Amino acid sequence: METLQSATQSAVDLQFKVQDLNARYTEAIDDDRLEEWPDFFTDKCLYRITTAENEANGLPIGFIYATSKPMLRDRIKALRQANVYEAQRYRHVLSVPRIVSGQSGVIHVRTSFMVARIMHTGETMLFATGRYEDRIRIDGAQALFSEKSVIIDSRQVDTLLAIPL
Amino acid sequence: MNIRVWPTETLTRIPYWVYADRDLYAQEMERIFRGDTWNFLCLEAELPKPNTYRTSHLGDMSVVVTRDANGVVHAFENRCAHRGSILCHKERGEAKEIACVYHNWTYDLCGNLTAVAFRRGIGGKGGMSPDSHPEEHAPRQLRIEILNGLVFGTLGKNTPPLETYIGSNIVPNIRRVMKKPVKVLGGYSQVLPSNWKLYMENTKDSYHASLLHLFFTTFRLNRLSQKGGLVVSENGGNHISYSMAADVATKEYEQAGMRSASDKFSLEVPEILKSVDEFGDGIGLQILSVFPGFILQQIRNCLAVRRVVPVDVERTELVWTLFGFEDDDAALTDMRMQQSNLIGPAGFISMEDGAATGFVQRGARGADDELSVIEMGGSGIGSEESRVSEAAVRGFWKKYRDLMGIV
């Protein structure tokens, strides 16, 4: 009985850790704290954004492909210093994450998202919907993404995709 | 056609109403996209085997491109002879014949109407008169030409042969990139808040590249001081802008104090720019366009075709297909994947293009009869070594005016 209780407790703990990671991750983006964004990842990591169509057809190239934390920092640096785009913000709304497999170590988690884009003019649009296919490394109290695949449902992106999803 | 103010004597002035006029847009669809032009439809690799199809466009008109049982490529209007319904509503698929879902009229892969459901009725009742010839209303079939794996189609009766149309000074640069069988590596599309012509002008505008796109400039991917050139086809409509990969350390930008020069900017992982000279000629960048809506891009090892699809007068879909070659090894594929970060709507060096065309669209509102100034590099459309030139943009307007009957 006690064993069952403790198993349930660790499942709840794990679910909490994942939800907390998701919440902090999207808040950092939506609050324009983009410099913190790379810190949600392990040093060696994979972050990519692609379309559901590419994914279904096994095609490797999508919008963004980064294979390390320094590459994520480079992207933010480019956004802040180099790239030209109109001021805009996102608002992420996530589903409850589902732990697909794993209980400790690296777990596979799937979460749906909807992202609204709010332009400086006030224009608000539904910018992207899709799913995160995540590999999350759980290390004690710490949870970090070792892989985050952002699979957009549509193949279309309006105007440009500057801020990460 | 009611042509409003249009300076007739020069290609260096373009009135802003051409980006927002609904009647003009309708005329363009007819005279340009459904007229005597070659429109890029797809890569041959997108029809990988017999009995496959994919949908594409002539302007805003949907077309079906097929590869028949014998491997021959065809294209025809995506419109049923009966009530005009779309025939293929999926982007791509496999089919031995194509049936309209509405009333099951059936077509072969050339676009010929082969069967009309219940044509003679049921039990001698209903059906169509023997005198009726619905075949006469069958979807229009396009003339097709394929150049090194690029499928082009035209509805024009007087469109010259494809290679003549593209021009002898441009064709070798298509062959240069499309040198062996290609493999599709991915795709996506970008919806631009602007008229289609603004994107084509942007592509042909080699002057803006290192001024708008700081990423390019900082990493010396494409400084205007770098050796390169601009080639425009005789008819004006087609162009190549290229530069050599070798870096030339110059300070023109810094001395000019332009926004786009920043010494503070450095990458932690410059490896995303790592490349190999796979074409063996030292050209690091080649942007090539064919009027009205095709772009072939080689940025280092990042290869793509872009198809410009007008959606509405102030809205354009840019369909990107990224590719490598069938015989690429894993290392080269990985290099192409890394470099893919440079392009597309999220690309370090191309995300600005989506915004820039929209800026013009918005800026020009209320200025219909004002004129834009296109004088960099003079007033002609000749090829030149300098890319501080708008010769290819003027070339676009020369071809445009010829087709639209604006003299």
Side-chain angles (χ1 to χ4, degrees), chain B residues 73-190:
Chain B
V73 174
H74 308 271
F76 51 91
E77 255 181 299
N78 192 5
R79 173 186 62 80
C80 183
H82 179 212
R83 299 302 310 274
S85 165
I86 288 267
L87 289 171
C88 290
H89 45 87
K90 286 201 300 185
E91 290 248 303
R92 49 174 65 83
E94 295 187 24
K96 290 195 169 78
E97 57 180 21
I98 287 168
C100 178
V101 293
Y102 200 173
H103 302 90
N104 203 41
W105 287 29
T106 306
Y107 300 81
D108 64 21
L109 294 186
C110 305
N112 300 308
L113 178 62
T114 51
V116 172
F118 305 127
R119 185 163 189 161
R120 297 289 169 254
I122 298 173
K125 291 182 181 150
M128 200 175 256
S129 153
D131 302 333
S132 185
H133 299 288
E135 290 80 2
E136 291 167 7
H137 302 279
R140 285 171 285 179
Q141 297 179 9
L142 280 63
R143 180 150 62 96
I144 292 290
E145 279 203 47
I146 300 174
L147 178 62
N148 287 47
L150 304 173
V151 180
F152 287 85
T154 183
L155 272 178
K157 300 276 183 290
N158 302 309
T159 318
L162 180 62
E163 289 192 31
T164 309
Y165 176 89
I166 295 176
S168 57
N169 56 349
I170 308 286
V171 168
N173 295 69
I174 290 183
R175 296 199 196 282
R176 171 187 169 270
V177 176
M178 308 298 294
K179 61 178 184 173
K180 50 188 177 177
V182 306
K183 173 170 73 177
V184 174
L185 295 177
Y188 42 73
S189 84
Q190 183 176 5

Side-chain angles (χ1 to χ4, degrees), chain B residues 14 76 86 305 331 337 358:
Chain B
I14 302 301
F76 51 91
I86 288 267
V305 287
M337 288 168 70

Side-chain angles (χ1 to χ4, degrees), chain B residues 47 49-52 66-74 95-96 108-110:
Chain B
L47 301 164
K49 52 185 181 180
N51 297 321
T52 52
T66 65
R67 188 189 288 280
D68 70 17
N70 301 316
V72 181
V73 174
H74 308 271
K96 290 195 169 78
D108 64 21
L109 294 186
C110 305

Side-chain angles (χ1 to χ4, degrees), chain B residues 218-237:
Chain B
T218 306
F219 297 100
R220 295 181 167 79
L221 264 172
N222 179 38
R223 298 203 156 198
L224 289 178
S225 49
Q226 228 165 277
K227 196 169 177 294
L230 184 67
V231 181
V232 184
S233 68
E234 204 174 313
N235 64 16

Side-chain angles (χ1 to χ4, degrees), chain B residues 305-367:
Chain B
V305 287
R306 309 179 204 157
R307 193 159 55 84
V308 176
V309 183
V311 177
D312 201 346
V313 65
E314 296 194 357
R315 203 170 164 79
T316 303
E317 184 176 5
L318 185 62
V319 181
W320 299 72
T321 305
L322 297 99
F323 63 90
F325 298 109
E326 277 180 6
D327 62 0
D328 285 353
D329 59 17
L332 187 51
T333 300
D334 188 61
M335 213 177 270
R336 297 195 204 284
M337 288 168 70
Q338 294 281 352
Q339 292 177 28
S340 71
N341 285 300
L342 300 174
I343 64 150
F348 285 130
I349 57 171
S350 68
M351 73 166 71
E352 288 91 3
D353 288 325
T357 61
F359 291 163
V360 178
Q361 190 78 41
R362 277 149 60 189
R365 274 183 201 141

